[in-house]
Amino acid sequence: MALRIGILTGGGDCPGLNAVIRAVAKSLMRQCGATVIGIADGFAGLMEAAPRVRELTWESVSGILMRGGTILGTSNRANPLRSEADTARVLEHARALGLQALVVIGGDGSMAIAHGLSQRGLPIVGVPKTIDNDILGCERSFGFDTAVATVTEAIERLQTTAESHGRVMIVETMGRYAGWIALEAGLAGAADVILLPEIDYDVEAVAAVCRARAQRQRYTLICIGEGAKPIGGELTVQRRIADSPDPIRLGGVAHALREALEVRLDVEVRATVLGHVQRGGAPTPFDRVLATQFGNEAAQLVMQGAFDRMVTLQEGRLTSVSLAAVAHGSRCVPQDHPLLRAARQIGVSLGEPA
Amino acid sequence: MALRIGILTGGGDCPGLNAVIRAVAKSLMRQCGATVIGIADGFAGLMEAAPRVRELTWESVSGILMRGGTILGTSNRANPLRSEADTARVLEHARALGLQALVVIGGDGSMAIAHGLSQRGLPIVGVPKTIDNDILGCERSFGFDTAVATVTEAIERLQTTAESHGRVMIVETMGRYAGWIALEAGLAGAADVILLPEIDYDVEAVAAVCRARAQRQRYTLICIGEGAKPIGGELTVQRRIADSPDPIRLGGVAHALREALEVRLDVEVRATVLGHVQRGGAPTPFDRVLATQFGNEAAQLVMQGAFDRMVTLQEGRLTSVSLAAVAHGSRCVPQDHPLLRAARQIGVSLGEPA
Amino acid sequence: MALRIGILTGGGDCPGLNAVIRAVAKSLMRQCGATVIGIADGFAGLMEAAPRVRELTWESVSGILMRGGTILGTSNRANPLRSEADTARVLEHARALGLQALVVIGGDGSMAIAHGLSQRGLPIVGVPKTIDNDILGCERSFGFDTAVATVTEAIERLQTTAESHGRVMIVETMGRYAGWIALEAGLAGAADVILLPEIDYDVEAVAAVCRARAQRQRYTLICIGEGAKPIGGELTVQRRIADSPDPIRLGGVAHALREALEVRLDVEVRATVLGHVQRGGAPTPFDRVLATQFGNEAAQLVMQGAFDRMVTLQEGRLTSVSLAAVAHGSRCVPQDHPLLRAARQIGVSLGEPA
Amino acid sequence: MALRIGILTGGGDCPGLNAVIRAVAKSLMRQCGATVIGIADGFAGLMEAAPRVRELTWESVSGILMRGGTILGTSNRANPLRSEADTARVLEHARALGLQALVVIGGDGSMAIAHGLSQRGLPIVGVPKTIDNDILGCERSFGFDTAVATVTEAIERLQTTAESHGRVMIVETMGRYAGWIALEAGLAGAADVILLPEIDYDVEAVAAVCRARAQRQRYTLICIGEGAKPIGGELTVQRRIADSPDPIRLGGVAHALREALEVRLDVEVRATVLGHVQRGGAPTPFDRVLATQFGNEAAQLVMQGAFDRMVTLQEGRLTSVSLAAVAHGSRCVPQDHPLLRAARQIGVSLGEPA
């Protein structure tokens, strides 16, 4: 009897989701004549009283490789493990839909759910999805290259303005727990200072770089990950807007650093928070290829019956890991990473005290 | 005797400034063996006790066509008309430097200064520079096409996220007095709602569009120019942060609209303020060609001795206008502009009451 | 009774066709509840025994603004004026389909057909489509900006290689009769020599530029329109491959020039023929806006009953001209065009004898 | 005493060369106060009677990260191992210039020379440079990502035209010995058929794909690496133009396949040879980061005195290998590569017989 496999995307939007969906669906259809059932809006689509699903056809997944977003829709709130009733409903719906297995494309939250449901008897294969490149056990995930490209382009744009006006320009990138985007985009965009969640920064050291550059190059470009913190805690602005219902949206870290630098420097300081544009858009060719591989590998795991596992890239090779091993925690930039050494040696400041 | 001509860039950064500098300098050097003197940081470079200038060579203006920013530097504060002493110093410096004429590339503020100095005897040719495309007497200025391209790309990125999550996404563009960027980028990016400074919008009408779209397309993309206002005055958030020293930087209009919609709608609403990225970066091919034409035309005016005039584009043709005619006011989107008609007829809401 | 309007795209692919289709269809549907019938593959779809048509819906023309190509399909061979039988069949099919009018998006060939059919009683509005920007009576047509951007990007890529290797690099662009693409992309890409169909070039003068640059800049970049000819006729390579059934595809003019330069110079000379990539891809924001305006204007003409006319841009304004006036001939670069003056004055060679 | 290190770039242009030069020079200057000597035009600059060199300064290598090409110049002909006299002259010049070591950035040919000179006593560190991604012992080299992006964009452009006209479109990519570019760009661009040097193709199988697609999708996009061959030898066109002095430039493989398909199919078949554009242009962010890492690692090897070695990427990690191990041969796509499996399973034809 032919396989009947469900597929869903959970968590925030990420370039390459459609490329994964396409590769999973085409591989399963072509290799074993499977029926592939697309579930709407992540786990939400399975949790509601009437599950929202539709069969994916070869045509419906053709032409979506380059498209950003997800044709299935997503949600970042639904969590069927939150209550026993929700868990039971999801398992019941999967059974009622005749699903022999489920492919879950999502972030660490989705992988934790996937592992929980696997333990409860629903065979699941996970595919890591993270703009921030911070899922445990995965060296490089799709969407990250696109995000780095978007941020790099923004840095290049800001640089010409910084240079023309002799300003300090701060650009805030995504990356709450891990600084990969700020690090790679900062290096690719020739930022002068790169501040990461993994290395608390010294405001005085940053100001010193700006002062030195004001003499010769006239401008300084600072790339800061949204999770970066000054040594000794938060800066004043962050406190001042702390009673706002939504401090993140107001671009805490970049504006806080701006205020801290303005009182220390003579030159103009401007901050830009890139925000949602980092999540969207067509995936780069690199991400299309990586996402296609991830999707194809997920299909192999399904066909092999290797469940409760996540497709991944390790030591440059496509492989898989146990969901249990990756469901909790973030993959941060290690202190001895060669990119940090490269940054320091070519003269990029990481905000470290002199 | 060979000509000796000064050149400066004033006001905010704008893609294509270097292309103008290059065309002015090369044309003057090649056509009449002129010496071209670059003045640093706009009028500031002429106002200081020791003017900051350097001779431009053929080599120094080669290879800059594609580069964003201005190799001369700029400033948006220096105004030599503010005091008689400043005016006198600028005139004196121009004389001391042996400048027979000055080419001023700048916005309406710079054109007003250029006209004032022309009246005082300094022969000046102006070149219009505005991201916002809002200088009087000029149908299309360089930098605008690049800004529209940057904003359009951002809208496309936001759209995939809006669609995947079923959200209302608001993107705020530059354009304090004129809505050209929001209008053209909104049309090019297929925004569903476009809000301009020229047409006060009805929050209820915008909410109605979002509600209708939530049924079928699930998401709504709103493009709002930073100068757009709701009918009847400002929205609450703008007031709430009014005591902030820098409301503009916090993205007043987009966040205000977000709050206004959130209380009216069931779906998530997100706002993105694009900010400085709209000013920077390499000019599009269109802007390179236009800037090259403007620079070459400015050189003609210098060689013809046609001063107190600004190069411009009118009825699709390169020509010039009197500085007096363009120095005050902004070129807004006329209420009968065919793009407004096109927008309405293809189903784009301009926020007008039903 | 509601209108019933046909629409077709004829001739070669051009970025922006879908944007026109979308604007025509949405405007007609929204403004007067018209039924819009899409005809497949240009006039071919009306000439065949069973016309190939389908009704366009609001959904079917949504989301196509950014897509290159044409959802209707096109053909560049079908000509219903070639025989009386074909003409009769097209008129008969239009009648049978109940079409009150037809919108034809196409090049000069299509406009000639449109005029012929108009004369025979079929009410037609034309929309100019040309990569080459060479339709009579139209200052700027959609698709041209995209083609210029594609060529400019290619020139920039070739330039880094030319510079690194100290080579002469020739790039051949589209433009059989008019040199607009070569001229604008050559200027935007900072080509050193630009050769156009409108100005026969002197091989010795081109070689002299290469020799002079070999001393200082080491490399030379030549941009040549496919219709450019040397003074005194064709070069040898073109003769040598004259017995080939398809000389154009082998890149006649670039390779001929390469051979002519190789015997005159010491340095390596390479030629690249860009070919079909110039026609495809997503339209630039500029072209999306222009195409949207053209489509919306075509809908106005239909609603006003102003037939046998072509939408156009003249003196920077949207207007229309009689099809009879534009159906024959090409709009070439006038010898006194300001871009030619600008090119010469900034030191770009147009291949003119010394 | 401070180090004095030479650096040169050899072989064809490749995006990221300047990023490597910058990282090598800045790392050596900053870490150990080294003097870095740039050698012009690859080994040619050391072979000539008077070596052409200049000291690199921090300023001279600033701002070049994003620039394509090489500020040092390159040549792909100079080989100092060709004669004993040339070898001796290079060694003598290195001594006379006081170089303690040399960093050679180049392809397999340059690595072979580097190994030969190392054996003769000149301490050398190699950095792999290849558009084609085919250097032995190196999983991923800079420049490849940029080339894949360029080709992918071209495929996307050609696809809209193919679709609009219902054509078979063939695009020929670089890759004489290894099909990495064709494979990755083909996958990223959603090509329907991908033909590689590693898998001889069956013309009948390719024709069968085109025929099947003509029924439903109407068009077929074929991506062919320049080294791909049909089963049983070359096709007719390649023979027909064999007496041409320069068959490669005429695009042998794409045009040969075009002729072979034209006689087998009813539809139009067009071929595009991308050529030199694949080599040039600004590196992608990915390539900037990778090149920066390679350059920084090369500096470590110099400082550690680890010579006769090449920087490389293995199992996803930066490391180095003996030059002897990588100097001869190409890294082809292995028959069991997961990308080949992914391609087949998602329905991409590799031209294999049915």
Side-chain angles (χ1 to χ4, degrees), chain A residues 162 166-171 191-195 201-223 257-270 347-352:
Chain A
R167 279 179 190 158
V168 172
M169 198 70 99
I170 305 168
V171 55
D192 306 303
V193 179
I194 299 175
L195 305 176
Y201 67 87
D202 176 13
V203 179
E204 294 302 337
V206 176
V209 171
C210 298
R211 262 182 233 111
R213 288 186 57 90
Q215 300 308 311
R216 302 195 57 158
Q217 296 89 347
R218 296 187 5 129
Y219 75 98
T220 304
L221 204 138
I222 301 173
C223 180
L257 178 58
R258 174 176 60 77
E259 289 216 352
L261 289 176
E262 270 174 347
V263 299
R264 286 168 172 84
L265 301 171
D266 279 339
V267 298
E268 282 181 78
V269 185
R270 298 288 170 90
V348 174
S349 167
L350 301 175
E352 294 156 309

Side-chain angles (χ1 to χ4, degrees), chain C:
Chain C
M1 199 199 72
L3 282 177
R4 192 172 168 89
I5 310 293
I7 183 167
L8 65 82
T9 49
D13 184 27
C14 180
L17 286 171
N18 283 324
V20 178
I21 294 167
R22 168 182 178 265
V24 169
K26 288 194 166 182
S27 301
L28 288 172
M29 289 177 197
R30 196 178 175 90
Q31 285 309 102
C32 59
T35 299
V36 182
I37 305 295
I39 294 157
D41 298 337
F43 287 107
L46 275 186
M47 284 167 69
E48 291 162 21
R52 287 179 289 121
V53 300
R54 65 188 158 108
E55 187 179 334
L56 300 181
T57 62
W58 191 273
E59 283 66 34
S60 70
V61 297
S62 290
I64 66 172
L65 171 65
M66 295 85 164
R67 280 175 49 195
T70 160
I71 58 166
L72 297 176
T74 184
S75 73
N76 29 14
R77 284 172 188 170
N79 183 349
L81 299 184
R82 213 173 281 145
S83 81
E84 181 52 34
D86 285 337
T87 311
R89 198 174 322 111
V90 162
L91 296 171
E92 170 49 29
H93 284 161
R95 218 174 355 251
L97 290 164
L99 303 181
Q100 279 112 339
L102 186 63
V103 174
V104 171
I105 314 166
D108 54 352
S110 298
M111 292 305 116
I113 295 170
H115 178 53
L117 294 173
S118 288
Q119 298 295 99
R120 294 287 299 268
L122 181 58
I124 297 189
V125 169
V127 179
K129 171 218 65 86
T130 161
I131 288 287
D132 295 343
N133 204 29
D134 66 350
I135 289 186
L136 285 175
C138 181
E139 277 171 13
R140 200 153 189 113
S141 58
F142 65 88
F144 173 64
D145 189 64
T146 305
V148 167
T150 302
V151 175
T152 302
E153 194 194 304
I155 293 178
E156 288 190 72
R157 290 188 186 280
L158 295 171
Q159 202 152 32
T160 69
T161 299
E163 194 170 2
S164 300
H165 288 271
R167 280 180 190 157
V168 172
M169 199 68 100
I170 306 168
V171 55
E172 179 179 321
T173 75
M174 283 187 172
R176 203 159 300 182
Y177 308 110
W180 296 106
I181 292 180
L183 179 57
E184 295 215 2
L187 281 170
D192 307 301
V193 179
I194 299 175
L195 305 177
L196 311 173
E198 290 87 350
I199 303 177
D200 285 359
Y201 67 88
D202 176 12
V203 181
E204 294 302 337
V206 176
V209 172
C210 298
R211 261 181 234 115
R213 287 186 57 89
Q215 301 307 311
R216 300 195 59 157
Q217 297 89 346
R218 297 187 5 128
Y219 76 97
T220 304
L221 205 139
I222 302 172
C223 180
I224 183 168
E226 65 176 320
K229 292 176 304 299
I231 293 171
E234 308 216 325
L235 296 173
T236 50
V237 167
Q238 284 167 306
R239 278 200 297 278
R240 194 161 58 71
I241 59 170
D243 47 79
S244 150
D246 187 5
I248 295 298
R249 288 189 204 160
L250 293 171
V253 306
H255 287 291
L257 178 57
R258 175 175 60 77
E259 288 217 351
L261 289 176
E262 270 174 346
V263 299
R264 284 168 174 83
L265 301 171
D266 279 339
V267 298
E268 282 181 78
V269 184
R270 297 288 169 91
T272 293
V273 182
L274 293 179
H276 300 289
V277 292
Q278 297 166 85
R279 288 209 163 281
T284 58
F286 181 96
D287 278 338
R288 294 179 202 174
V289 172
L290 185 57
T292 297
Q293 289 198 81
F294 275 16
N296 178 250
E297 184 69 18
Q300 309 309 306
L301 295 182
V302 167
M303 291 186 285
Q304 293 160 9
F307 299 112
D308 201 10
R309 300 191 68 77
M310 182 185 81
V311 168
T312 194
L313 197 76
Q314 286 190 342
E315 299 182 357
R317 277 190 181 69
L318 213 53
T319 180
S320 70
V321 289
S322 148
L323 278 173
V326 301
H328 300 286
S330 297
R331 195 182 65 96
C332 292
V333 181
Q335 299 291 331
D336 63 349
H337 195 280
L339 274 178
L340 296 179
R341 182 194 69 192
R344 290 183 191 107
Q345 292 195 359
I346 63 172
V348 174
S349 167
L350 300 175
E352 294 157 308

Side-chain angles (χ1 to χ4, degrees), chain B residues 123-342:
Chain B
I124 298 189
V125 168
V127 179
K129 168 217 68 85
T130 162
I131 288 287
D132 296 342
N133 204 29
D134 65 351
I135 290 185
L136 286 175
C138 183
E139 278 171 9
R140 198 153 190 114
S141 58
F142 64 89
F144 173 64
D145 189 64
T146 306
V148 168
T150 302
V151 176
T152 302
E153 195 194 304
I155 294 178
E156 289 190 69
R157 290 188 187 282
L158 295 171
Q159 202 153 32
T160 69
T161 299
E163 193 172 0
S164 300
H165 288 269
R167 280 179 190 157
V168 172
M169 198 69 103
I170 305 169
V171 55
E172 179 180 321
T173 75
M174 284 187 171
R176 203 159 302 182
Y177 307 110
W180 297 104
I181 292 180
L183 179 57
E184 295 215 2
L187 281 171
D192 307 302
V193 179
I194 299 176
L195 305 176
L196 311 174
E198 290 88 348
I199 302 177
D200 285 359
Y201 67 87
D202 176 12
V203 181
E204 294 301 338
V206 175
V209 172
C210 298
R211 260 181 236 115
R213 287 187 56 89
Q215 301 308 312
R216 300 195 57 157
Q217 298 89 347
R218 297 191 359 132
Y219 74 99
T220 304
L221 206 140
I222 302 173
C223 180
I224 182 169
E226 63 177 320
K229 293 177 304 296
I231 292 171
E234 308 218 325
L235 296 174
T236 51
V237 167
Q238 284 166 308
R239 278 199 298 276
R240 192 162 58 73
I241 60 172
D243 47 79
S244 150
D246 187 4
I248 295 296
R249 287 190 204 159
L250 292 173
V253 306
H255 287 291
L257 178 56
R258 175 175 59 76
E259 289 217 351
L261 289 176
E262 271 174 346
V263 300
R264 285 170 173 82
L265 301 171
D266 278 338
V267 298
E268 284 182 76
V269 185
R270 297 289 169 89
T272 293
V273 182
L274 293 179
H276 300 288
V277 293
Q278 297 166 83
R279 288 208 162 283
T284 57
F286 182 96
D287 277 338
R288 295 178 201 174
V289 171
L290 184 58
T292 298
Q293 288 198 82
F294 274 16
N296 178 250
E297 185 68 17
Q300 311 308 306
L301 294 181
V302 168
M303 292 186 284
Q304 292 160 11
F307 299 112
D308 200 13
R309 300 191 69 75
M310 183 184 81
V311 169
T312 194
L313 195 76
Q314 286 189 342
E315 299 182 356
R317 279 193 177 66
L318 213 54
T319 181
S320 69
V321 289
S322 149
L323 278 173
V326 300
H328 301 287
S330 297
R331 193 181 66 95
C332 292
V333 181
Q335 300 290 333
D336 64 347
H337 196 280
L339 274 177
L340 297 179
R341 182 195 66 193

